[in-house]
Amino acid sequence: MAGLGAWNLARAALIILLLPRSLEQCGHISLSAPIVRLGDPITASCTISQNCSHLDSESHIVWKLEAELQPGERQQYLPNGTLQSTITLPHLNRSRALLSCCLHWGNSLQILDQAELQAGYPPATPHNLSCLMNLTTNSLTCQWEPGPNTHLSTNFTLKSFKSRGNCQSREDSIPDCVPEDGQSHCSIPRKHLQLYQNMGIWVQAKNALGTSVSPKLCLVPMDVVKLEPPTLWALGPSPEVAPPQPGCLRLRWETWKPSLHIDQKCELRHQPLLGEASWDLVGALPSRTLQYELCGLLPSTAYALQMRCTRWRLPGHWSNWSPSLELTTTQRAPTVRMDTWWRQRQLDPRTVDVQLFWQPVPLEEDSGQIQGYLVSLRPSDKAGADPMLCNTTELNCTFQLPSEAREVILEAYNTAGTSHPTPVVFLESGGPPLGRLHTVARDPHSLWVGWEPPSPQPRGYVIEWGLGPPSPSGSPKTWRMEHNGSIAGTLLQENIRPFQLYEITVTPLYQDTKGPSQHIYAYSQEMAPSHGPELHLRHIGKTWAQLEWVPEAPELGRSPLTHYTIFWTNAQDRSFSTVLNASSHSFVLRGLEPSSLYHVHLMAASQVWATNSTSLTLMTLALGFPLTLEESELHILLGLFGLLVLLICLCGAAQLCCRPSRKNPLWPSVPDPAHSSLGSWVPTITTEDTFQLPSLRDSSMPPITKITVLEEEEKKPGPWESNDSSGTCGLPSLVQAYVLQGDPRVPRMQPQPQSGTSDQVLYVQVLGSPTGPRPGHYLRCDSTQPLLGGLTPSPKSYENLWFQTSPLGTPEPLVPNPEDDCIFEPLLDFPLLQGLRVSGVEGLGGF
């Protein structure tokens, strides 16, 4: 098996090596046309000879255009045994393409034959044919425009002939002139020309798709001659000729030698070297002159000069412009007006330090170049001294003057002389001041400063401006003088930069004095806020969120805020926004979805800028979430309100309980016998029940002791429903008591207390005198009535008293009725009264 595999491999390699040679003469491609118009169809056929048919009976021809496979139309065997395949390309859109006829051989595609396809356009008609007679090369050179590209190889030929008429008839033919490839001009040598005889000239263009010719041109070679430009020279100074005036130039030129026998006219043009000025053309100059003085130029200015020439009185073409000649005009003395301003500082009583500023204002367009400035004293100011103070090229000068000096002289100079002297008079400040000074920033590079003109009207104003604090005090300032005293403002545009603080000073100038200077500070353009306020979340609910921020403090030089804009975006990237005024510092987002995420940010905007604040991400509460802060606060307020109402009710109840006048109508006033004396709880005698009490100070009347509750138990029967008469006596129905007579301080035997029913309430009324000789008595009464009742009306004010008043007004002790169920017993029968001490007599003196 290994040997068989190696043999198969060797056989396959042999076939690959022999394939090109065995198929080299098998196929052939035939084209309907080798070159077609771009976009037209083309047909090709590939034929395989019968010598190659033994390769494979199922052979199939494949077409390729460049690297793209193309479907063949049909494939057939011809009677002579050859195999033929035909293909038609409907639109050939390539100027050049390679068509291949291929055959499948094994697993590869073998090329049998190839043909190059070409497509293009017929040549366009050449146009703009023109010819020039060049005397330098002694040839007639013609040029033309070939037209659009044909994508094919196109040949151009310049054809001509001689003619004695108007080129309607031919006399002699001139050899064709064939230009080099890619060129569209050609030259006919002098030997084939008649300089003063007509010639017919045209251009022929030819390629594989057709031929075209240009319109014929009929001309005389000397009528199209083009001369060479002259050579320019500067005319040097001469003793016989005066030097040129300021603003004038002198020059000469030489014509081209082969054209010396030709009459010519020339043109001169000039242009300043500096700046972007255009060329100025000077009219025709006769060539025989060969020199010229050019005036009307700017003094002390460099110029470039050029000249060209053509035939005079005969047809011809202008020559090219000559190379430039650079000359500089002479200077003239400056003709300027000086605007001046100064600052003075007293050094000592005899010396003043002066800083003088000036600005030259040209009086004419060609006012002359300034090379320097001279500042000097008037000779009469200080005799015998050097009057020169400054010689500078700057626009300011600092010098010292005597205190009595009031004037200096300023002049501008150059090599031609000095300007008219300008006197500078140092005015004293004594005029009226300006009115209201104000500024407005028109744009980032200008400031409008306005004022109210004073009265009388000044002759002018001096405006100074420069960077304000915190710039150094000695920083340079720009100044300008306004000579119109009626204006009320001016626009400052020099040395103004955006976002800078400027100090502006305006000083009015009068005829012999000046007014006080007025100062103002202004920004050329205010900056945006340095940063926006920080956004905070104050409260949040299920469908709302309250935001707040602290407005930033105003900053110097920064534009004040005009409004805020709040943007918020939900999880679905839906954006919302609202605009708030600058005074706002909180906002509530409403209409939010519960349990949703939102991104919020705040933008602070001014008139010129906008600044983004910090961003905030928040999530609203879910529907089942506990009470929000707002709801909790509401509940707290309601709770506090309820507590307040309860407190008011309690206070009212306490007031009602504590005041007897309001308590007695509701329930009887029954004091606590164990903690009260008789005088403190005896009811007040009303006008309805008037009765007299016996005087307790009477020695015959035993005094009243304290009342003590001995026992109180809950009554089992109804509190006020008992009708048992056995438990009642002649005393008031609510109170049953013991009446004690005798001296309670005498010790007695303590008997056992009588057992009573558990539903009884025992009262005792003790009568006696601590000083009387009679023994004390007590009145004891058992009663089943309770101490208090909710429905029984209050007792009369006299029912709790055991005294009555006799008709004579003397008090008498109340003697119990023997018919009542009241039993008189000794004091010892009531065990809890054994240690009772009679007191409170002094408190009853009012009865």
Side-chain angles (χ1 to χ4, degrees), residues 25-90:
Q25 302 298 329
C26 287
H28 176 68
I29 296 178
S30 300
L31 300 175
S32 60
I35 302 175
V36 297
R37 184 184 290 267
L38 196 65
D40 287 355
I42 186 171
T43 302
S45 62
C46 180
T47 304
I48 300 178
S49 64
Q50 61 181 4
N51 297 333
C52 301
S53 62
H54 65 279
L55 293 176
D56 193 350
S57 59
E58 300 296 333
S59 299
H60 183 72
I61 297 176
V62 178
W63 293 92
K64 292 180 63 178
L65 184 64
E66 295 294 340
E68 300 176 2
L69 293 176
Q70 301 291 330
E73 291 184 355
R74 62 186 181 276
Q75 182 172 318
Q76 60 182 350
Y77 282 94
L78 300 179
N80 58 2
T82 59
L83 179 63
Q84 186 182 55
S85 176
T86 305
I87 185 175
T88 299
L89 301 177

Side-chain angles (χ1 to χ4, degrees), residues 56-168:
D56 193 350
S57 59
E58 300 296 333
S59 299
H60 183 72
I61 297 176
V62 178
W63 293 92
K64 292 180 63 178
L65 184 64
E66 295 294 340
E68 300 176 2
L69 293 176
Q70 301 291 330
E73 291 184 355
R74 62 186 181 276
Q75 182 172 318
Q76 60 182 350
Y77 282 94
L78 300 179
N80 58 2
T82 59
L83 179 63
Q84 186 182 55
S85 176
T86 305
I87 185 175
T88 299
L89 301 177
H91 303 285
L92 185 59
N93 296 323
R94 305 180 185 183
S95 60
R96 290 181 179 273
L98 192 63
L99 183 64
S100 303
C101 174
C102 306
L103 185 68
H104 282 288
W105 182 268
N107 295 328
S108 62
L109 197 63
Q110 181 62 40
I111 298 176
L112 301 180
D113 193 14
Q114 289 182 326
E116 184 180 12
L117 306 181
Q118 295 187 36
Y121 300 104
T125 301
H127 56 284
N128 289 343
L129 176 63
S130 62
C131 299
L132 295 175
M133 183 63 194
N134 194 331
L135 297 182
T136 303
T137 59
N138 271 333
S139 61
L140 181 66
T141 301
C142 298
Q143 61 182 8
W144 61 90
E145 293 183 12
N149 186 16
T150 62
H151 302 289
L152 298 174
S153 177
T154 303
N155 298 322
F156 293 89
T157 303
L158 181 64
K159 295 180 174 292
S160 60
F161 62 88
K162 298 177 182 178
S163 176
R164 291 191 180 273
N166 55 359
C167 300
Q168 297 296 327

